[in-house]
Amino acid sequence: MTSFNAVLARNSENAPSGMGRYSQTVAFSHYNNLSAQLPVDPATGRLVAGGVKEQAERCFQNIQAIVKSIGHELSDVVRITIFLQNIADMHVVNEVYATFFTDYMPTLTTVAVAALPMGALLQVEALLSNGEGTIPNAPQAGDLVKIASNTMNAPTSHLSTQSVAFSHYNNLSAQLPIDPKSGKLVAGGAREQAAQCLQNIKAILESIAVPFDDIVKINVFLKNLSDIDSVDAAYRAFFPDSAIARAVAYVPARTVVEVAALPMDALVQIEAVVSHGDGTPPQAVEDRHGIVIWANNTDRAPRCALATQTVAFSHYNHLSAQLPLHPETQAVVPGGVKAQAEQCLKNIKAIVESIGHTLDDVVKVNIFVKNIEDMGAVDEVYLAFFPGGIPARRTVGVSALPHGAMIQIDAVVANAEGTPPKA
């Protein structure tokens, strides 16, 4: 019997199934990765009747059903991501959200996107702790604790916790360009707003004694993709942060997406996933101390100076979003959305194989498409790479992608061997 964690995909009849070639939840080690939930009635397979309130209730009911089906509770959720069709619906959705999380608030990201599958008004995604781990027939430290933290040096909200740590990861709420003292957006354009977002992230990490260079993945949500150069100018001032990181030119994995709107009409919002080498109690010091970040690039996939293709820490690899760029020419491949989807997935496959893994190790796939109607064609390609439909999945429609691409895909990959402690 193996002593390694195994990928564990599960589905429940109490939540929508048959929505595509993906699993409702895929657990690996100490996390469950849930597919984004649409407001679909599992009994009919159709969107529920009513408006955004009814749709929000159904999304959270579906998440609750999945969570309960695997022996967990909503209090085990560490991160919620809400994708809205209309940012004006945020307040109604938040009212529903608050009825499901009454004693504890997970980290939270809310954005409005160009389109959602089935014409839904919203889609909700959850990341869940999994204290028992996934070593077959060998439960791990089921008594690991979740640590939720806030600091007054970054913006606070009654609807979210700034940072929630579990096992070897910290998950941060997406940060808006809010001055924590005034509670208002900072003055200036995209560059100033990006700098404030990153400063807020840094303040949160400093409050829990975590270095800024422990970030393994950054997600940048932009109101206007044309602002990316301004955002990158701010980004370069923060990464790399330390002398050690500068010596190896370390930058996290990264995904950049244009969204339809952001809360408070912000121009940018930034989300971070952070390594947590000390772990959460009661992990023994000898089992956790000095776990290192492994950043890897391969010439078989497109390179970017501001992102690492994959960053491994402990039992997960976090991949940068892959565009349909040919690795040799760095240009978008010719053809339509099927050709572009195939190139994105080829790039992901090349990265995964370059670190000694296979696509069977992928636990979560995030798909961003310029035209949501293209998903039928995308799924034809997707099936060739994931015939078993194992990874959990998220699909959103966006109004623009870098290089004018029609599709962009990122992934989270299991890392059973873990990353070693420092010598």
Side-chain angles (χ1 to χ4, degrees):
M1 181 181 300
T2 179
S3 61
F4 286 129
N5 286 288
V7 173
L8 178 59
R10 289 173 286 187
N11 293 286
S12 168
E13 293 180 354
N14 296 324
S17 59
M19 304 297 295
R21 290 301 185 104
Y22 52 89
S23 301
Q24 290 171 352
T25 178
V26 178
F28 186 79
S29 186
H30 288 148
Y31 280 94
N32 287 286
N33 299 266
L34 270 63
S35 287
Q37 292 300 300
L38 290 162
V40 172
D41 184 335
T44 66
R46 299 176 181 175
L47 294 180
V48 295
V52 70
K53 181 180 180 180
E54 290 77 14
Q55 290 200 11
E57 288 172 345
R58 174 46 63 185
C59 288
F60 286 107
Q61 287 167 358
N62 289 342
I63 288 173
Q64 187 173 50
I66 295 169
V67 168
K68 287 187 174 181
S69 75
I70 58 174
H72 284 265
E73 302 294 335
L74 285 180
S75 59
D76 293 325
V77 172
V78 298
R79 186 174 70 217
I80 287 287
T81 306
I82 300 173
F83 297 96
L84 298 170
Q85 179 68 53
N86 188 340
I87 199 69
D89 288 336
M90 182 175 68
H91 300 297
V92 173
V93 173
N94 283 343
E95 289 177 3
V96 175
Y97 165 73
T99 66
F100 283 85
F101 296 92
T102 55
D103 299 321
Y104 146 81
M105 287 296 181
T107 64
L108 177 66
T109 298
T110 302
V111 300
V113 293
L116 291 167
M118 300 180 70
L121 298 177
L122 81 159
Q123 178 176 250
V124 183
E125 179 182 274
L127 178 68
L128 188 73
S129 63
N130 189 49
E132 64 271 25
T134 57
I135 295 176
N137 301 313
Q140 294 168 256
D143 53 354
L144 288 170
V145 299
K146 180 172 73 260
I147 300 177
S149 303
N150 287 293
T151 174
M152 295 305 294
N153 294 326
T156 58
S157 169
H158 69 284
L159 290 170
S160 64
T161 301
Q162 290 169 350
S163 171
V164 177
F166 188 80
S167 187
H168 286 145
Y169 277 92
N170 283 290
N171 298 271
L172 271 60
S173 288
Q175 292 300 300
L176 288 162
I178 297 171
D179 181 332
K181 293 182 179 179
S182 69
K184 299 178 180 179
L185 293 182
V186 296
R191 180 170 182 170
E192 291 77 15
Q193 290 200 12
Q196 185 64 52
C197 291
L198 291 166
Q199 184 56 52
N200 290 342
I201 290 172
K202 191 167 188 177
I204 293 168
L205 295 184
E206 288 176 345
S207 74
I208 55 176
V210 174
F212 197 71
D213 284 320
D214 280 359
I215 294 173
V216 297
K217 177 72 190 296
I218 286 284
N219 297 314
V220 180
F221 301 101
L222 288 174
K223 179 72 182 300
N224 299 298
L225 193 59
S226 58
D227 284 335
I228 187 59
D229 289 342
S230 296
V231 171
D232 283 346
Y235 197 82
R236 289 186 180 92
F238 284 82
F239 295 104
D241 183 59
S242 67
I244 294 174
R246 287 193 293 273
V248 296
Y250 172 71
V251 286
R254 192 172 81 155
T255 295
V256 177
V257 176
E258 179 176 295
V259 295
L262 291 166
M264 299 180 69
D265 201 28
L267 298 176
V268 61
Q269 180 175 245
I270 301 179
E271 180 183 69
V273 178
V274 186
S275 63
H276 186 52
D278 289 340
T280 54
Q283 292 180 344
V285 172
E286 59 267 25
D287 294 333
R288 70 191 189 191
H289 182 67
I291 299 174
V292 298
I293 288 174
W294 270 4
N296 292 281
N297 290 292
T298 174
D299 290 334
R300 294 174 54 210
R303 288 177 176 258
C304 173
L306 293 177
T308 301
Q309 290 170 353
T310 178
V311 178
F313 185 82
S314 187
H315 287 148
Y316 276 95
N317 288 284
H318 296 264
L319 270 63
S320 288
Q322 293 302 300
L323 288 159
L325 304 178
H326 191 284
E328 294 181 4
T329 66
Q330 295 283 314
V332 173
V333 295
V337 71
K338 290 181 72 171
Q340 291 198 14
E342 182 178 24
Q343 188 62 52
C344 290
L345 291 167
K346 282 182 177 178
N347 291 342
I348 287 173
K349 186 172 186 283
I351 294 168
V352 170
E353 289 178 347
S354 75
I355 54 173
H357 285 265
T358 71
L359 290 182
D360 289 339
D361 295 322
V362 175
V363 297
K364 178 75 187 299
V365 171
N366 299 314
I367 300 176
F368 306 94
V369 289
K370 181 76 180 300
N371 186 349
I372 201 76
E373 301 300 326
D374 284 337
M375 278 309 299
V378 171
D379 278 339
E380 290 181 26
V381 177
Y382 187 85
L383 181 60
F385 287 83
F386 298 104
I390 293 298
R393 200 170 84 169
R394 170 213 295 172
T395 301
V396 296
V398 294
S399 49
L401 288 166
H403 295 270
M406 302 172 72
I407 185 168
Q408 177 177 257
I409 305 176
D410 73 13
V412 180
V413 184
N415 189 48
E417 66 272 25
T419 54
K422 295 176 182 175

